[in-house]
Amino acid sequence: MMLHVPGVLTAAQVAELRAQIDAAPWEDGNATSGAQSALAKFNRQLPENSEAAVQAGAAIREALTRNPLFMSAALPHTVYPPLFNRYGPGHGFGDHIDNALRFQRHQNVRIRTDLSATLFLCDPSEYEGGELVVEDTYGVHEVKLPAGDLILYPASSLHRVQAVTAGERVASFFWIQSLIRDDARRALLFDMDLAIQTLARGAGQDAPAIVSLTGGYHNLLRMWAEL
Ligand code: NI
């Protein structure tokens, strides 16, 4: 399941974060790549242990915990410390699937990547090209979102970033280990949660049918969650 999560950061939060990261020194994007992706990847990245990356990443993780749509869809166990990249003219990232496991020694984080996320930190009007292209069983999806919006997609997906032809594309990217490893189960729980919330607005949280459905949601979560 692919999901657009709007407004993870406000315009003011994006501006503050951009000021923080833009002033920091950046490095070649291949500093964190495996052998295969090093052949496909042309961009710049903020060093993951830099002060700016750690602080901006913490602000993003904090914003995510306050976002009900993200929390319901991702059911996060651990959110990897966000990384930051920028693609100028001629930069792009060819077809690849993200590594299954990620280790961040500095912050002692070790995850299985169930979901990949890109949080856009500039507006589509600031650059040409640079679409995130994700292929799944439902076809090919091109993604280019307003600053502050996030796209969430299964980390098992083949994806690429089209070459930027003008301007600059700045984004944060990271992975999530979910409490629910299986994408189909997670999607079912998400749909169920949204439907229960919609029904509860009409019938009230304490209507017997809503109590029963909410119990069903939690019992499925109990059956499937891996802590
Ligand atoms: Ni990737």
Side-chain angles (χ1 to χ4, degrees), residues 42 86-93 126-131 144 161-170:
F42 300 94
R86 54 205 314 148
Y87 294 79
H91 286 165
F93 195 164
E126 295 175 51
Y127 59 102
E128 307 271 340
E131 295 84 1
K144 196 174 193 175
V161 176
Q162 302 282 54
V164 167
T165 54
E168 192 174 41
R169 176 196 194 269
V170 183

Side-chain angles (χ1 to χ4, degrees), residues 93 96-98 116 153 159 175:
F93 195 164
H96 66 281
I97 291 175
D98 295 340
S116 293
Y153 60 98
H159 61 279
W175 301 272

Side-chain angles (χ1 to χ4, degrees), residues 112-124:
R112 178 190 66 239
T113 58
D114 296 322
L115 290 158
S116 293
T118 297
L119 173 62
F120 289 79
L121 298 175
C122 62
D123 267 316

Side-chain angles (χ1 to χ4, degrees), residues 70-146:
F70 173 83
M71 294 303 282
S72 176
L75 291 169
H77 174 284
T78 306
V79 176
Y80 194 83
L83 300 170
F84 299 85
N85 59 19
R86 54 205 314 148
Y87 294 79
H91 286 165
F93 195 164
D95 277 331
H96 66 281
I97 291 175
D98 295 340
N99 288 354
L101 306 171
R102 306 283 319 193
F103 303 99
Q104 221 272 28
R105 284 166 195 87
H106 190 67
Q107 297 186 57
N108 195 27
V109 175
R110 204 168 162 263
I111 68 163
R112 178 190 66 239
T113 58
D114 296 322
L115 290 158
S116 293
T118 297
L119 173 62
F120 289 79
L121 298 175
C122 62
D123 267 316
S125 61
E126 295 175 51
Y127 59 102
E128 307 271 340
E131 295 84 1
L132 171 67
V133 180
V134 182
E135 297 188 19
D136 69 15
T137 51
Y138 290 97
V140 178
H141 311 276
E142 280 199 5
V143 184
K144 196 174 193 175
L145 299 176

